[in-house]
Amino acid sequence: MNTFAADHTQKPSSPSSSNSNSWGKSNNLINRIAFLFILGVAVSFLLLYHSSYPFQSLLPSSSSSNLSIYQGYNESDLGKILKEAAMKDKTVILTTLNEAWAEPESIFDVFLESFKIGNDTNRLIKHLVIISLDEKAHVRCLAMHPHCYSLHSQPGDNFSSEAYFMTPTYLEMMWRRIDFLSTVLQLGYNFVFTDADIVWLRNPFPHFYKNVDFQIACDNYMGDPKNRHNSPNGGFNYVKSNKRSIKFYKFWYSSRLRFPGKHDQDVLNIIKFDPFINRIGLKMRFLDTKYFGGFCEPSRDFNLVCTMHANCCFGLGNKIHDLKLILQDWRRFMLATPHAKALSNFSWRAPDKCSTSSLHPPKKDKH
């Protein structure tokens, strides 16, 4: 139907106005086609980008509302606890704890006792934040220590029992730790992370390297702190919060997808050679076992030792037994005369029950 015929009051259009309307309609059509074309190109680009970088969306955001991949951290509570425990330079000491390690006379008691009897370590307890992995561990922590943070578990998680080496539960706990430490860095805090099966015998801070982003203890030390062929142990490290360390922890955590079935330490041994480390300018150092020893490679000099780690050891009972021997030997050293200490004739009785020849984890993960 002719629209103009229906309106008898409308005047006939002039040729010039008719051409103008036709041009406007054509122009609108062209604009629509151009818009749809640009939209199609944009969608195709996004699809291509995500197919080329499939893990990009898995990296934790730097925004305060999305610091963690797990989304299980109450950042308000965590920030408050970190602030209360931090040193003047915003450094905290962190460890994780589950029910098995929190039982009376277990790892937790030995760990706290070492701070009390160590050389210049008692004052560091107030800077210690304990990350509990289950409710019973959190209750025990609250009864023993002022700075406790409950890490909310994901559905199906069970971190309360002893997690045997390389079982699925163990791997999940180790990667959860890396994710959590990344969050701490993004909140602006430096940290010393220490496994709870490490005894602190001397204040380690004077023996850390200055102006280094990431420094880590070793299972075996080759003599050069810059040599990336050293064998790092993720159970003890000192990390400064900055853009380089945050990028590094994101890279470390996302790399678990490239190497499924490997724990954080194995992945670190691979990515420490990655060109990405040099590209972001991360300053990495490896700590000498004469200061930061363990059962893999003990620190022999009682006048130098800062920490001793129950590494190269399976079994909670074995760890407790040998760490208690370490504390007994340390007490004897601390009670000795200055002359006797200078002679350096002291030796550890551990490892006794811990040894690399007895590394036999269970055949399956019961947890």
Side-chain angles (χ1 to χ4, degrees), residues 65-134:
S65 61
N66 185 25
L67 288 175
S68 166
I69 295 171
Y70 279 106
Q71 292 299 299
Y73 312 139
N74 186 324
E75 291 152 18
S76 177
D77 289 348
L78 177 59
K80 180 181 178 181
I81 292 172
L82 293 174
K83 183 178 180 180
E84 291 174 349
M87 303 175 191
K88 291 182 179 180
D89 66 348
K90 296 191 72 174
T91 297
V92 292
I93 302 169
L94 303 173
T95 193
T96 53
L97 187 69
N98 70 349
E99 179 185 344
W101 284 29
E103 290 288 337
E105 300 299 319
S106 191
I107 291 290
F108 185 38
D109 288 6
V110 177
F111 177 70
L112 290 181
E113 185 180 358
S114 73
F115 278 86
K116 295 174 183 177
I117 68 172
N119 186 351
D120 194 29
T121 54
N122 189 47
R123 66 185 180 89
L124 298 176
I125 295 180
K126 63 184 178 182
H127 303 299
L128 172 67
V129 177
I130 296 170
I131 314 302
S132 50
L133 301 176
D134 56 73

Side-chain angles (χ1 to χ4, degrees), residues 60 67-75 77-79 81-82 92-96 129-133 148-152 172-187 189 191 193 249 253:
L67 288 175
S68 166
I69 295 171
Y70 279 106
Q71 292 299 299
Y73 312 139
N74 186 324
E75 291 152 18
D77 289 348
L78 177 59
I81 292 172
L82 293 174
V92 292
I93 302 169
L94 303 173
T95 193
T96 53
V129 177
I130 296 170
I131 314 302
S132 50
L133 301 176
C148 305
Y149 178 75
S150 179
L151 186 63
H152 302 287
E172 179 66 14
M173 287 178 67
M174 295 302 100
W175 285 115
R176 180 71 60 83
R177 180 175 74 186
I178 298 300
D179 177 62
F180 178 79
L181 294 177
S182 177
T183 301
V184 173
L185 292 174
Q186 292 176 70
L187 288 172
Y189 289 89
F191 64 77
F193 178 82
Y249 265 78
Y253 184 78

Side-chain angles (χ1 to χ4, degrees), residues 70 98 133-134 153 156-177 263-264 364-367:
Y70 279 106
N98 70 349
L133 301 176
D134 56 73
S153 296
D157 283 347
N158 180 11
F159 295 154
S160 61
S161 303
E162 182 181 1
Y164 294 100
F165 185 67
M166 291 308 293
T167 58
T169 298
Y170 174 87
L171 292 175
E172 179 66 14
M173 287 178 67
M174 295 302 100
W175 285 115
R176 180 71 60 83
R177 180 175 74 186
H263 64 70
D264 60 311
K364 62 180 181 179
D365 181 17
K366 296 181 180 180
H367 310 301

